[in-house]
Amino acid sequence: MSHRPARFDRGHTDDLMSFLTAGPSPYHAVAAAAERLEKAGFRQVLETDSWDGAAGGRYVLRGGAIIAWYVPEGAQAHTPFRIVGAHTDSPNLRVKPLPDTGAHGWRQIAVEVYGGTLLNTWLDRDLGLAGRLSLRDGTHQLVNVDRALLRVPQLAVHLDRSVNTDGLKLDRQRHMQPIWGLGEVAEGDLIDFLEEEAGIAQGEVVGWDLMVHAIEPPAYLGRDRELLAGPRMDNLISVHAGTAALAAAAGQSLPYIPVLAAFDHEENGSQSDTGAEGPLLGSVLERSVFARGGSYEDRARAFAGTVCLSSDTGHAVHPNYGERHDPTHHPRANGGPILKVNVNQRYATDGSGRAVFAAACEKAGVPWQTFVSNNAMPCGTTIGPITAARHGIQTVDIGVAILSMHSARELCGAEDPYLLANALTAFLEG
């Protein structure tokens, strides 16, 4: 395998920390990605407008998803795509349609568990609230209360003497409702509060997509600051790296059309109009072909030559639970991005895809590792198999190895996001 780049650029990881903080919801994450792409010369196009086939960078926003692409000078209608796929959502607690609740003099917010979150990691944390507000005129406005607003209090050990011997048992309905004050419950309180926070006239909010987030900022960890702790690494690490890679590839003479496809709803199955199983990516790619004067034949040729790197986090070997990992595959922090393999197609990687990833890492001078699940443990999945099956394009599953996946606060090597971004840049540049 190739050597490590001579110098680790901590500036990339510093910018990732800012990106994690700016993305407490998928809607905020795609806004942060769009802002970075705008600075690189990309412009937003609307799905309801007609598109032209001119060279340059463009992006589409739909809810918590973003598809961005760069058309090089001289690109033909059948020019293949090189896609970095990722997702913007993370497991968390999301506000219900009737949010105002409480008991015994405590005012609470009714929440629903989103995705496969580690419930205990949300206990006794200072939590903020963020997301999207839908207004009467059909527009949307982002809101982010990034301060100590909510808390899910754990039961004291005096009232649960067996918690340290029999384990913590949490009822998802009864035990996960956060408190946010004292007094009588009043219907409409939360939305009235958020309208005031967002500077919106009272009564204008008619819908919402809101979620809680831990307000503790990302931080370097360890004696030598070689680790990074922070929220939503699964999978904003990949969204950030993919955005940086696409911005770096833009403006060059390329044999492919580089694409970033960051979807929502991966954590609950990807079945939505902004998820990987929806039509968004295929629609954008096809419209790009047709805007350049292409036919269905050109579309078929372009898709046949397209490759997607589905970038999502994977499991680093855990020092306290080594037996849970495959005995011969132990991805380590700061060992470089991982190639994720599963013969039952929970990951889409095959030998041909391995060669594509290896070539990109070699070009970038980036070390890489392989992840395979222990045969006795169920294997997770990603947008990779969905993308391969839905669009008929070659897909390879990769990512960064982390600990505490699906926790409110996860952990990775501080160098790995930088190494991933370098590999993705080399891939997009062909």
Side-chain angles (χ1 to χ4, degrees):
M1 297 183 187
S2 58
H3 63 282
R4 184 185 303 276
R7 183 172 183 142
F8 160 50
D9 181 4
R10 198 174 287 271
H12 176 90
T13 306
D14 289 342
D15 189 64
L16 169 62
M17 295 165 73
S18 298
F19 190 80
L20 293 172
T21 300
S25 77
Y27 314 104
H28 289 82
V30 298
E35 180 181 5
R36 284 162 167 76
L37 291 172
E38 289 273 356
K39 291 178 180 178
F42 285 70
R43 62 180 176 86
Q44 183 178 3
V45 293
L46 301 179
E47 292 184 81
T48 52
D49 290 345
S50 61
W51 295 0
D52 63 56
R58 300 168 179 79
Y59 66 90
V60 166
L61 295 179
R62 183 192 288 186
I66 181 170
I67 310 292
W69 66 102
Y70 177 80
V71 179
E73 290 285 351
Q76 301 183 57
H78 62 266
T79 297
F81 301 93
R82 283 223 160 178
I83 305 168
V84 172
H87 67 88
T88 61
D89 59 319
S90 301
N92 56 19
L93 307 176
R94 302 205 171 188
V95 176
K96 289 184 175 180
L98 300 176
D100 300 292
T101 187
H104 306 293
W106 296 95
R107 296 166 65 198
Q108 295 174 278
I109 302 301
V111 296
E112 190 173 3
V113 178
Y114 177 84
T117 188
L118 288 169
L119 295 177
N120 65 295
T121 67
W122 293 95
L123 302 178
D124 296 331
R125 286 186 183 271
D126 296 337
L127 304 172
L129 191 64
R132 179 180 69 171
L133 301 173
S134 300
L135 310 185
R136 288 188 182 279
D137 62 3
T139 62
H140 303 286
Q141 184 165 328
L142 300 185
V143 63
N144 182 13
V145 184
D146 195 30
R147 64 176 187 271
L149 179 69
L150 307 168
R151 185 179 178 93
V152 183
Q154 187 172 187
L155 187 64
V157 68
H158 312 78
L159 303 177
D160 186 6
R161 294 288 183 179
S162 64
V163 66
N164 290 324
T165 55
D166 298 341
L168 177 65
K169 297 178 177 61
L170 293 171
D171 184 292
R172 293 159 67 93
Q173 177 63 37
R174 293 185 296 123
H175 299 154
M176 298 307 298
Q177 310 306 312
I179 61 173
W180 75 310
L182 300 171
E184 297 299 317
V185 176
E187 184 178 350
D189 262 6
L190 178 65
I191 301 307
D192 287 347
F193 164 75
L194 292 176
E195 286 175 332
E196 183 176 354
E197 285 285 314
I200 300 171
Q202 189 172 19
E204 286 301 303
V205 173
V206 294
W208 49 88
D209 301 281
L210 300 166
M211 56 209 71
V212 306
H213 65 274
I215 63 170
E216 183 182 1
Y220 289 107
L221 185 145
R223 185 193 66 179
D224 300 319
R225 301 172 67 210
E226 70 267 47
L227 300 172
L228 177 67
R232 299 175 295 280
M233 290 184 175
D234 179 10
N235 185 32
L236 294 190
I237 284 178
S238 297
V239 177
H240 177 261
T243 302
L246 180 60
Q252 301 188 43
S253 177
L254 303 172
Y256 305 99
I257 296 173
V259 179
L260 169 68
F263 302 100
D264 199 356
H265 301 133
E266 189 271 349
E267 297 294 357
N268 63 4
S270 295
Q271 292 182 323
S272 72
D273 69 324
T274 54
E277 198 163 341
L280 180 58
L281 175 61
S283 173
V284 168
L285 298 184
E286 288 179 346
R287 290 184 68 177
S288 175
V289 170
F290 299 150
R292 282 175 278 122
S295 63
Y296 181 82
E297 181 72 9
D298 292 311
R299 180 262 188 213
R301 292 175 65 188
F303 276 44
T306 292
V307 183
C308 173
L309 290 189
S310 164
S311 182
D312 202 347
T313 55
H315 302 293
V317 62
H318 197 300
N320 299 335
Y321 300 90
E323 73 282 358
R324 301 296 182 97
H325 300 267
D326 183 85
T328 59
H329 295 78
H330 284 171
R332 298 177 183 272
N334 289 334
I338 56 174
L339 180 74
K340 301 160 73 172
V341 179
N342 180 264
V343 295
N344 294 303
Q345 290 300 295
R346 301 293 284 173
Y347 304 131
T349 305
D350 61 10
S352 177
R354 175 189 173 99
V356 171
F357 179 63
C361 290
E362 182 177 355
K363 178 183 176 183
V366 167
W368 58 279
Q369 312 175 81
T370 304
F371 172 81
V372 179
S373 287
N374 186 310
N375 283 325
M377 305 291 295
C379 180
T381 190
T382 69
I383 65 166
I386 294 171
T387 303
R390 178 168 181 80
H391 305 294
I393 58 179
Q394 182 181 20
T395 305
V396 189
D397 275 297
I398 66 163
V400 164
I402 70 172
L403 293 182
S404 307
M405 187 185 294
H406 287 195
S407 169
R409 193 170 177 84
E410 297 160 324
L411 183 73
C412 75
E415 297 185 34
D416 281 331
Y418 169 72
L419 298 174
L420 173 66
N422 277 292
L424 294 181
T425 300
F427 166 73
L428 291 181
E429 292 176 349

